[in-house]
Amino acid sequence: MPMHRTSRRHLLQSSAAGIGAFAVPNIIRSSAARAQENVVNVWAYAGFLPDEFKQQFTEETGITIQERLVDEQGKQFNLLAAEQPNPTADIVTIAGHRFQQFIDSELLAPIDTSRLSNWEAINPVYRDSNWLTIEDQIWGVPMLLGAEVLAYNTEAVTPEEADSWAVMFDPKYQGQTAYIIQDMMSVVILYLGYDGTMVEYIDDPEKAAQIVEEARDFMIENKGMVRKFYEAPAEVQQMFVNQDIVLAQSWSGPISKLIMDEVPVDMTIPREGSFSFVYNFNVTNNAPNPDNAYALLNAILDAPEVGTAMTRASGFISTIQGAQDGLTDLEKRAASFSDEELSRLVFFDTRADNVTFPLMDPAVEQVKAA
């Protein structure tokens, strides 16, 4: 089955719709010396753009995808900010709960949905979500759903043990755990019985500071439990494959991939709860090749098979309707949660960003330095 059904003519016609919104004088384009007629520059996580799709897209449109792999939202923000006002990226990959930071720094352009002929292909659960619209404008194209999960080696840890985040701090598994510090700090706040989104404390900065300090101190106290504070998804995958660890806080995608590859690993949403998020493809402000960016977005949304391939390559759940139908039974199990687990998830919330990040960023550094 072909990766997508779009013809080159259809792609060019759909990407041309609304083209005037991005039109700039040729002399400006020339002086900027950034626009490349047959190129689209994408910053994305590994597996978000499957190789077969990239090849077929180029064959059908003549547009080459120049992909730069990213592994962390903060690094992406810093790099994009450093390049302003002339970014090298046309499309970046941003989690919905991080939108406000990029918008406030004028790094993104609003999404013109009139240029997306298949906008309705996105599941309305994500397409119509409140977090997608800020200041009456849409800022991203939802692509892949993920969650913060507790991952465990099924040959060493029981499902009953993995039903609580407490297992990450059990002396039985000392030196056999790993996590991303900032992500785990939000989980620890939940584990300690507080609102992990921090929304409850927007109007009580003293309480917010006390909670973050408590989570920081708890993590420092239990720092000896951890084998490694990791950053890139490939790191946690390799540690599980090598059996260096038996427990980890992780994004769901990398663990789904291990399950698909039949590594003895599983994942769950513990009873204390965890967080869900949606990765989006976002068009940059002053993108060098905006028409090509919309051509790529249209091609991704053109057929559910593309979403299937994205889930298969990344492990994250596609937002495109019908994408799950193309997965095998093993892949469906690897890229899904039970109803009970889903009930334990909450979306990350941007409303508390101005409270959360100024407190958590230094706390993370203090955990590292302790």
Side-chain angles (χ1 to χ4, degrees), residues 215-235:
R216 176 202 64 194
D217 293 346
F218 181 88
M219 294 175 73
I220 291 173
E221 180 183 348
N222 289 278
K223 190 172 180 179
M225 290 291 304
V226 186
R227 181 181 182 92
K228 185 176 183 180
F229 300 135
Y230 72 95
E231 294 184 357
E235 292 181 82

Side-chain angles (χ1 to χ4, degrees), residues 280-352:
N280 302 260
F281 278 168
N282 310 74
V283 178
T284 61
N285 191 21
N286 201 27
N289 310 286
D291 299 336
N292 295 349
Y294 276 91
L296 177 61
L297 294 173
N298 270 308
I300 292 171
L301 299 179
D302 186 60
E305 290 87 354
V306 181
T308 302
M310 293 174 74
T311 291
R312 187 172 287 130
S314 70
F316 291 104
I317 301 170
S318 174
T319 64
I320 300 173
Q321 298 185 82
Q324 291 286 99
D325 297 342
L327 298 174
T328 66
D329 289 342
L330 174 61
E331 290 166 343
K332 288 177 181 177
R333 184 183 74 80
S336 63
F337 298 102
S338 70
D339 289 342
E340 182 177 3
E341 288 173 317
L342 289 173
S343 72
R344 297 171 175 177
L345 284 172
V346 294
F347 273 102
F348 280 113
D349 198 308
T350 63
R351 289 174 293 171

